[in-house]
Amino acid sequence: MLANLKTYALIGIDATLVEAEVDVSAGFPKTVIVGLPEQAVKESIHRIERALSNLGYSRTTGHTVINLAPADLKKDAGSFDLPIALGILAATEQIPLKNTVNYAFVGELALDGNLRPIKGALSIALAAAKGGVKGLLLPIMNAKEASVVKDLLIYPIQNLSDSVGFLTGQKVIAPLVPEENLAFENLNKYDFDFSDVRGQESAKRALVVAAAGGHNVILIGPPGAGKTMLAKRLPSILPPMSMQEALETTKIHSVTGRIKDMGLLTQRPFRAPHHTASSVSLVGGGSYPQPGEISLAHNGVLFLDELPEFKRSVLEVLRQPME
């Protein structure tokens, strides 16, 4: 029997739809996964088999082919574990396939069937809402982050049994209600506040002008003059974050795995990379593209302490972003 479930893969800071197709037929017992899977996805077969066995579900005994479409898109995350496992259960008629049509699934499985948090939950939720998906089942640790997306029901899942019970109607899981008011209670509240600074009137005036106009600032002075202390407090006098800015900032930090049951980021970020940082770590990229310090400082402050100590090549890559 063939089962087809919706899931998502991250490309940069955005998510794209992936269809997890599972076909189980009679034949020599073997499980094959195709669709350009990286090592983390190939190893999911072993995690899924152990999770199904430990939870008492029947494992496939015939020839199983798992296809993650589109085939030309690299799949390199453990978040495909949950849709593949549910696809196997649907293909073996342990859960009704028709009940999976309106939902999307993401989550990494532990060997005991529990779900571990994933990266990019907000990006996935935004893509699911845009694609007309009714509801998204994802690990409970990511639910608060994804619940800020409107027009999408977020179902927090603790383990594989919860998702099976939900799809079979044996367990009621209420969708998570977004707590927008609670999220913005801490808006513009910082550990380092500009009001803490005594003296330094000329430096404070320069920072106020820079914050008001969105300008760059260079702080020059002897060690101990208070340059770092002032820079750390600059985000506290920037304008309060709007909802759109909060979503943009949270998306970037989410795909790097920095959001752990935090929900929406409501404070402007402050990033201070070390002067030994490489150009890739600053602007992002790599074999598996990840946001760099410039992107992580989006809508906030990027502080380059000991600026002359940075490599020339690193400073050169800042030319275009600053322009």
mmCIF file of all heavy atoms in Angstrom, residues 174-214:
data_model
loop_
_atom_site.group_PDB
_atom_site.id
_atom_site.type_symbol
_atom_site.label_atom_id
_atom_site.label_comp_id
_atom_site.label_asym_id
_atom_site.label_seq_id
_atom_site.Cartn_x
_atom_site.Cartn_y
_atom_site.Cartn_z
ATOM 1 N N ALA A 174 -5.540 19.233 21.901
ATOM 2 C CA ALA A 174 -6.037 20.567 21.578
ATOM 3 C C ALA A 174 -4.932 21.385 20.923
ATOM 4 O O ALA A 174 -3.768 21.332 21.344
ATOM 5 C CB ALA A 174 -6.527 21.264 22.850
ATOM 6 N N PRO A 175 -5.257 22.140 19.872
ATOM 7 C CA PRO A 175 -4.239 22.997 19.255
ATOM 8 C C PRO A 175 -3.788 24.085 20.218
ATOM 9 O O PRO A 175 -4.567 24.564 21.052
ATOM 10 C CB PRO A 175 -4.959 23.588 18.031
ATOM 11 C CG PRO A 175 -6.409 23.459 18.348
ATOM 12 C CD PRO A 175 -6.565 22.252 19.206
ATOM 13 N N LEU A 176 -2.526 24.449 20.113
ATOM 14 C CA LEU A 176 -1.945 25.450 21.006
ATOM 15 C C LEU A 176 -2.433 26.838 20.607
ATOM 16 O O LEU A 176 -2.379 27.223 19.444
ATOM 17 C CB LEU A 176 -0.419 25.398 20.948
ATOM 18 C CG LEU A 176 0.341 26.226 21.978
ATOM 19 C CD1 LEU A 176 0.068 25.713 23.382
ATOM 20 C CD2 LEU A 176 1.828 26.191 21.699
ATOM 21 N N VAL A 177 -2.905 27.584 21.589
ATOM 22 C CA VAL A 177 -3.385 28.944 21.348
ATOM 23 C C VAL A 177 -2.217 29.907 21.521
ATOM 24 O O VAL A 177 -1.546 29.890 22.553
ATOM 25 C CB VAL A 177 -4.522 29.314 22.328
ATOM 26 C CG1 VAL A 177 -4.977 30.749 22.088
ATOM 27 C CG2 VAL A 177 -5.677 28.341 22.189
ATOM 28 N N PRO A 178 -1.940 30.760 20.532
ATOM 29 C CA PRO A 178 -0.816 31.693 20.658
ATOM 30 C C PRO A 178 -1.035 32.687 21.785
ATOM 31 O O PRO A 178 -2.154 33.158 22.006
ATOM 32 C CB PRO A 178 -0.765 32.394 19.286
ATOM 33 C CG PRO A 178 -2.126 32.219 18.717
ATOM 34 C CD PRO A 178 -2.635 30.918 19.248
ATOM 35 N N GLU A 179 0.038 32.992 22.492
ATOM 36 C CA GLU A 179 -0.023 33.920 23.614
ATOM 37 C C GLU A 179 0.692 35.211 23.219
ATOM 38 O O GLU A 179 1.755 35.544 23.732
ATOM 39 C CB GLU A 179 0.610 33.301 24.859
ATOM 40 C CG GLU A 179 -0.060 32.002 25.295
ATOM 41 C CD GLU A 179 0.649 31.341 26.462
ATOM 42 O OE1 GLU A 179 1.831 31.680 26.695
ATOM 43 O OE2 GLU A 179 0.029 30.526 27.143
ATOM 44 N N GLU A 180 0.087 35.955 22.301
ATOM 45 C CA GLU A 180 0.741 37.153 21.783
ATOM 46 C C GLU A 180 0.944 38.199 22.875
ATOM 47 O O GLU A 180 1.987 38.849 22.936
ATOM 48 C CB GLU A 180 -0.090 37.742 20.641
ATOM 49 C CG GLU A 180 -0.140 36.854 19.401
ATOM 50 C CD GLU A 180 -0.895 37.522 18.266
ATOM 51 O OE1 GLU A 180 -1.091 38.753 18.334
ATOM 52 O OE2 GLU A 180 -1.290 36.818 17.326
ATOM 53 N N ASN A 181 -0.053 38.364 23.746
ATOM 54 C CA ASN A 181 0.073 39.383 24.789
ATOM 55 C C ASN A 181 1.204 39.034 25.756
ATOM 56 O O ASN A 181 1.976 39.897 26.170
ATOM 57 C CB ASN A 181 -1.247 39.516 25.557
ATOM 58 C CG ASN A 181 -2.366 40.068 24.686
ATOM 59 O OD1 ASN A 181 -2.100 40.796 23.740
ATOM 60 N ND2 ASN A 181 -3.596 39.714 25.004
ATOM 61 N N LEU A 182 1.301 37.737 26.120
ATOM 62 C CA LEU A 182 2.366 37.327 27.025
ATOM 63 C C LEU A 182 3.720 37.493 26.368
ATOM 64 O O LEU A 182 4.705 37.861 27.019
ATOM 65 C CB LEU A 182 2.163 35.866 27.458
ATOM 66 C CG LEU A 182 0.975 35.594 28.380
ATOM 67 C CD1 LEU A 182 0.869 34.103 28.663
ATOM 68 C CD2 LEU A 182 1.131 36.361 29.689
ATOM 69 N N ALA A 183 3.786 37.203 25.069
ATOM 70 C CA ALA A 183 5.059 37.315 24.363
ATOM 71 C C ALA A 183 5.565 38.742 24.371
ATOM 72 O O ALA A 183 6.768 38.988 24.522
ATOM 73 C CB ALA A 183 4.901 36.817 22.926
ATOM 74 N N PHE A 184 4.650 39.714 24.228
ATOM 75 C CA PHE A 184 5.078 41.100 24.128
ATOM 76 C C PHE A 184 5.116 41.814 25.479
ATOM 77 O O PHE A 184 5.371 43.009 25.534
ATOM 78 C CB PHE A 184 4.169 41.848 23.153
ATOM 79 C CG PHE A 184 4.579 41.663 21.722
ATOM 80 C CD1 PHE A 184 4.167 40.551 21.004
ATOM 81 C CD2 PHE A 184 5.410 42.573 21.106
ATOM 82 C CE1 PHE A 184 4.554 40.373 19.690
ATOM 83 C CE2 PHE A 184 5.808 42.399 19.784
ATOM 84 C CZ PHE A 184 5.386 41.295 19.083
ATOM 85 N N GLU A 185 4.878 41.070 26.581
ATOM 86 C CA GLU A 185 5.063 41.669 27.896
ATOM 87 C C GLU A 185 6.531 42.013 28.142
ATOM 88 O O GLU A 185 6.855 42.964 28.841
ATOM 89 C CB GLU A 185 4.564 40.706 28.990
ATOM 90 C CG GLU A 185 3.054 40.718 29.168
ATOM 91 C CD GLU A 185 2.625 39.804 30.297
ATOM 92 O OE1 GLU A 185 3.492 39.167 30.912
ATOM 93 O OE2 GLU A 185 1.414 39.733 30.560
ATOM 94 N N ASN A 186 7.421 41.199 27.568
ATOM 95 C CA ASN A 186 8.853 41.428 27.752
ATOM 96 C C ASN A 186 9.454 42.255 26.626
ATOM 97 O O ASN A 186 10.672 42.326 26.492
ATOM 98 C CB ASN A 186 9.591 40.081 27.839
ATOM 99 C CG ASN A 186 9.188 39.286 29.061
ATOM 100 O OD1 ASN A 186 8.997 39.860 30.126
ATOM 101 N ND2 ASN A 186 9.056 37.978 28.913
ATOM 102 N N LEU A 187 8.601 42.870 25.825
ATOM 103 C CA LEU A 187 9.091 43.655 24.700
ATOM 104 C C LEU A 187 9.922 44.827 25.189
ATOM 105 O O LEU A 187 9.526 45.572 26.075
ATOM 106 C CB LEU A 187 7.905 44.156 23.876
ATOM 107 C CG LEU A 187 8.240 44.907 22.586
ATOM 108 C CD1 LEU A 187 8.926 43.973 21.604
ATOM 109 C CD2 LEU A 187 6.981 45.481 21.968
ATOM 110 N N ASN A 188 11.101 44.971 24.590
ATOM 111 C CA ASN A 188 11.997 46.088 24.896
ATOM 112 C C ASN A 188 12.475 46.086 26.345
ATOM 113 O O ASN A 188 12.800 47.141 26.904
ATOM 114 C CB ASN A 188 11.327 47.430 24.574
ATOM 115 C CG ASN A 188 12.330 48.424 24.015
ATOM 116 O OD1 ASN A 188 13.273 48.058 23.317
ATOM 117 N ND2 ASN A 188 12.139 49.690 24.332
ATOM 118 N N LYS A 189 12.512 44.915 26.975
ATOM 119 C CA LYS A 189 13.088 44.774 28.313
ATOM 120 C C LYS A 189 14.409 44.034 28.171
ATOM 121 O O LYS A 189 14.444 42.912 27.673
ATOM 122 C CB LYS A 189 12.137 44.014 29.240
ATOM 123 C CG LYS A 189 10.854 44.758 29.561
ATOM 124 C CD LYS A 189 9.987 43.970 30.523
ATOM 125 C CE LYS A 189 8.710 44.729 30.850
ATOM 126 N NZ LYS A 189 7.825 43.954 31.777
ATOM 127 N N TYR A 190 15.468 44.648 28.625
ATOM 128 C CA TYR A 190 16.812 44.109 28.407
ATOM 129 C C TYR A 190 17.557 43.991 29.725
ATOM 130 O O TYR A 190 17.313 44.749 30.678
ATOM 131 C CB TYR A 190 17.603 45.012 27.457
ATOM 132 C CG TYR A 190 17.004 45.115 26.075
ATOM 133 C CD1 TYR A 190 16.027 46.068 25.782
ATOM 134 C CD2 TYR A 190 17.403 44.259 25.064
ATOM 135 C CE1 TYR A 190 15.472 46.152 24.516
ATOM 136 C CE2 TYR A 190 16.854 44.338 23.787
ATOM 137 C CZ TYR A 190 15.891 45.283 23.527
ATOM 138 O OH TYR A 190 15.347 45.351 22.278
ATOM 139 N N ASP A 191 18.478 43.027 29.768
ATOM 140 C CA ASP A 191 19.328 42.866 30.946
ATOM 141 C C ASP A 191 20.300 44.034 31.088
ATOM 142 O O ASP A 191 20.670 44.404 32.197
ATOM 143 C CB ASP A 191 20.109 41.545 30.852
ATOM 144 C CG ASP A 191 19.198 40.334 30.881
ATOM 145 O OD1 ASP A 191 18.111 40.436 31.481
ATOM 146 O OD2 ASP A 191 19.556 39.302 30.295
ATOM 147 N N PHE A 192 20.730 44.579 29.943
ATOM 148 C CA PHE A 192 21.649 45.716 29.952
ATOM 149 C C PHE A 192 20.888 46.938 29.437
ATOM 150 O O PHE A 192 20.572 47.023 28.250
ATOM 151 C CB PHE A 192 22.869 45.438 29.069
ATOM 152 C CG PHE A 192 23.660 44.229 29.487
ATOM 153 C CD1 PHE A 192 23.505 43.018 28.824
ATOM 154 C CD2 PHE A 192 24.539 44.294 30.547
ATOM 155 C CE1 PHE A 192 24.219 41.910 29.211
ATOM 156 C CE2 PHE A 192 25.268 43.186 30.941
ATOM 157 C CZ PHE A 192 25.112 41.992 30.275
ATOM 158 N N ASP A 193 20.576 47.872 30.324
ATOM 159 C CA ASP A 193 19.751 49.020 29.975
ATOM 160 C C ASP A 193 20.597 50.286 29.865
ATOM 161 O O ASP A 193 21.528 50.495 30.640
ATOM 162 C CB ASP A 193 18.648 49.221 31.007
ATOM 163 C CG ASP A 193 17.555 50.136 30.488
ATOM 164 O OD1 ASP A 193 17.708 51.367 30.615
ATOM 165 O OD2 ASP A 193 16.555 49.614 29.956
ATOM 166 N N PHE A 194 20.248 51.118 28.898
ATOM 167 C CA PHE A 194 20.999 52.353 28.652
ATOM 168 C C PHE A 194 20.937 53.311 29.835
ATOM 169 O O PHE A 194 21.840 54.118 30.045
ATOM 170 C CB PHE A 194 20.440 53.027 27.399
ATOM 171 C CG PHE A 194 21.406 53.943 26.705
ATOM 172 C CD1 PHE A 194 22.487 53.422 26.007
ATOM 173 C CD2 PHE A 194 21.242 55.319 26.741
ATOM 174 C CE1 PHE A 194 23.386 54.265 25.353
ATOM 175 C CE2 PHE A 194 22.131 56.160 26.093
ATOM 176 C CZ PHE A 194 23.214 55.632 25.400
ATOM 177 N N SER A 195 19.884 53.204 30.628
ATOM 178 C CA SER A 195 19.734 54.101 31.776
ATOM 179 C C SER A 195 20.739 53.802 32.881
ATOM 180 O O SER A 195 20.879 54.602 33.820
ATOM 181 C CB SER A 195 18.308 54.008 32.329
ATOM 182 O OG SER A 195 18.045 52.690 32.788
ATOM 183 N N ASP A 196 21.429 52.650 32.790
ATOM 184 C CA ASP A 196 22.430 52.309 33.806
ATOM 185 C C ASP A 196 23.687 53.167 33.703
ATOM 186 O O ASP A 196 24.458 53.252 34.651
ATOM 187 C CB ASP A 196 22.845 50.836 33.667
ATOM 188 C CG ASP A 196 21.687 49.882 33.892
ATOM 189 O OD1 ASP A 196 20.730 50.286 34.580
ATOM 190 O OD2 ASP A 196 21.737 48.743 33.384
ATOM 191 N N VAL A 197 23.893 53.780 32.529
ATOM 192 C CA VAL A 197 25.152 54.483 32.272
ATOM 193 C C VAL A 197 25.142 55.845 32.965
ATOM 194 O O VAL A 197 24.196 56.619 32.834
ATOM 195 C CB VAL A 197 25.377 54.670 30.753
ATOM 196 C CG1 VAL A 197 26.728 55.344 30.494
ATOM 197 C CG2 VAL A 197 25.315 53.327 30.040
ATOM 198 N N ARG A 198 26.216 56.119 33.691
ATOM 199 C CA ARG A 198 26.397 57.418 34.338
ATOM 200 C C ARG A 198 27.554 58.134 33.652
ATOM 201 O O ARG A 198 28.608 57.555 33.441
ATOM 202 C CB ARG A 198 26.702 57.243 35.833
ATOM 203 C CG ARG A 198 25.595 56.567 36.609
ATOM 204 C CD ARG A 198 24.365 57.468 36.712
ATOM 205 N NE ARG A 198 23.292 56.840 37.469
ATOM 206 C CZ ARG A 198 22.301 56.153 36.927
ATOM 207 N NH1 ARG A 198 22.290 55.974 35.613
ATOM 208 N NH2 ARG A 198 21.350 55.642 37.667
ATOM 209 N N GLY A 199 27.360 59.407 33.344
ATOM 210 C CA GLY A 199 28.399 60.147 32.646
ATOM 211 C C GLY A 199 28.410 59.806 31.166
ATOM 212 O O GLY A 199 27.385 59.404 30.590
ATOM 213 N N GLN A 200 29.565 59.941 30.525
ATOM 214 C CA GLN A 200 29.744 59.627 29.102
ATOM 215 C C GLN A 200 28.698 60.334 28.240
ATOM 216 O O GLN A 200 28.126 59.744 27.309
ATOM 217 C CB GLN A 200 29.652 58.096 28.879
ATOM 218 C CG GLN A 200 30.686 57.281 29.614
ATOM 219 C CD GLN A 200 32.028 57.294 28.914
ATOM 220 O OE1 GLN A 200 32.236 58.074 27.988
ATOM 221 N NE2 GLN A 200 32.944 56.459 29.360
ATOM 222 N N GLU A 201 28.455 61.613 28.524
ATOM 223 C CA GLU A 201 27.360 62.317 27.849
ATOM 224 C C GLU A 201 27.566 62.409 26.337
ATOM 225 O O GLU A 201 26.628 62.237 25.565
ATOM 226 C CB GLU A 201 27.202 63.723 28.447
ATOM 227 C CG GLU A 201 26.800 63.722 29.918
ATOM 228 C CD GLU A 201 25.521 62.939 30.178
ATOM 229 O OE1 GLU A 201 24.635 62.960 29.309
ATOM 230 O OE2 GLU A 201 25.410 62.317 31.245
ATOM 231 N N SER A 202 28.785 62.689 25.896
ATOM 232 C CA SER A 202 29.016 62.824 24.456
ATOM 233 C C SER A 202 28.845 61.490 23.740
ATOM 234 O O SER A 202 28.268 61.420 22.646
ATOM 235 C CB SER A 202 30.413 63.392 24.199
ATOM 236 O OG SER A 202 31.411 62.547 24.763
ATOM 237 N N ALA A 203 29.363 60.404 24.354
ATOM 238 C CA ALA A 203 29.213 59.076 23.760
ATOM 239 C C ALA A 203 27.747 58.657 23.735
ATOM 240 O O ALA A 203 27.257 58.096 22.744
ATOM 241 C CB ALA A 203 30.045 58.058 24.528
ATOM 242 N N LYS A 204 27.031 58.934 24.804
ATOM 243 C CA LYS A 204 25.610 58.590 24.863
ATOM 244 C C LYS A 204 24.822 59.376 23.811
ATOM 245 O O LYS A 204 23.911 58.831 23.173
ATOM 246 C CB LYS A 204 25.060 58.875 26.262
ATOM 247 C CG LYS A 204 25.517 57.863 27.308
ATOM 248 C CD LYS A 204 25.370 58.370 28.712
ATOM 249 C CE LYS A 204 23.956 58.646 29.110
ATOM 250 N NZ LYS A 204 23.863 59.063 30.534
ATOM 251 N N ARG A 205 25.190 60.638 23.618
ATOM 252 C CA ARG A 205 24.516 61.443 22.607
ATOM 253 C C ARG A 205 24.741 60.858 21.217
ATOM 254 O O ARG A 205 23.806 60.772 20.405
ATOM 255 C CB ARG A 205 25.052 62.876 22.665
ATOM 256 C CG ARG A 205 24.579 63.800 21.544
ATOM 257 C CD ARG A 205 23.086 64.007 21.556
ATOM 258 N NE ARG A 205 22.666 64.920 20.503
ATOM 259 C CZ ARG A 205 21.411 65.087 20.127
ATOM 260 N NH1 ARG A 205 20.441 64.398 20.726
ATOM 261 N NH2 ARG A 205 21.101 65.946 19.161
ATOM 262 N N ALA A 206 25.963 60.417 20.928
ATOM 263 C CA ALA A 206 26.267 59.814 19.630
ATOM 264 C C ALA A 206 25.453 58.545 19.409
ATOM 265 O O ALA A 206 24.933 58.305 18.310
ATOM 266 C CB ALA A 206 27.766 59.519 19.538
ATOM 267 N N LEU A 207 25.334 57.727 20.437
ATOM 268 C CA LEU A 207 24.580 56.479 20.306
ATOM 269 C C LEU A 207 23.082 56.754 20.137
ATOM 270 O O LEU A 207 22.400 56.027 19.401
ATOM 271 C CB LEU A 207 24.820 55.588 21.526
ATOM 272 C CG LEU A 207 26.219 54.977 21.645
ATOM 273 C CD1 LEU A 207 26.338 54.142 22.916
ATOM 274 C CD2 LEU A 207 26.537 54.105 20.430
ATOM 275 N N VAL A 208 22.572 57.757 20.799
ATOM 276 C CA VAL A 208 21.155 58.111 20.645
ATOM 277 C C VAL A 208 20.872 58.553 19.211
ATOM 278 O O VAL A 208 19.870 58.161 18.603
ATOM 279 C CB VAL A 208 20.764 59.213 21.650
ATOM 280 C CG1 VAL A 208 19.386 59.786 21.309
ATOM 281 C CG2 VAL A 208 20.752 58.661 23.066
ATOM 282 N N VAL A 209 21.769 59.366 18.646
ATOM 283 C CA VAL A 209 21.599 59.810 17.260
ATOM 284 C C VAL A 209 21.662 58.620 16.307
ATOM 285 O O VAL A 209 20.867 58.507 15.363
ATOM 286 C CB VAL A 209 22.679 60.860 16.902
ATOM 287 C CG1 VAL A 209 22.642 61.174 15.406
ATOM 288 C CG2 VAL A 209 22.486 62.125 17.714
ATOM 289 N N ALA A 210 22.625 57.707 16.557
ATOM 290 C CA ALA A 210 22.768 56.524 15.710
ATOM 291 C C ALA A 210 21.531 55.635 15.791
ATOM 292 O O ALA A 210 21.058 55.108 14.779
ATOM 293 C CB ALA A 210 24.010 55.741 16.120
ATOM 294 N N ALA A 211 20.996 55.464 17.010
ATOM 295 C CA ALA A 211 19.812 54.624 17.190
ATOM 296 C C ALA A 211 18.592 55.234 16.509
ATOM 297 O O ALA A 211 17.772 54.531 15.920
ATOM 298 C CB ALA A 211 19.540 54.418 18.679
ATOM 299 N N ALA A 212 18.484 56.554 16.563
ATOM 300 C CA ALA A 212 17.329 57.221 15.960
ATOM 301 C C ALA A 212 17.375 57.161 14.446
ATOM 302 O O ALA A 212 16.344 57.011 13.782
ATOM 303 C CB ALA A 212 17.282 58.675 16.432
ATOM 304 N N GLY A 213 18.581 57.274 13.878
ATOM 305 C CA GLY A 213 18.686 57.317 12.424
ATOM 306 C C GLY A 213 19.145 56.039 11.778
ATOM 307 O O GLY A 213 19.229 55.960 10.553
ATOM 308 N N GLY A 214 19.442 55.001 12.573
ATOM 309 C CA GLY A 214 19.921 53.739 12.016
ATOM 310 C C GLY A 214 21.307 53.853 11.423
ATOM 311 O O GLY A 214 21.597 53.252 10.387
#
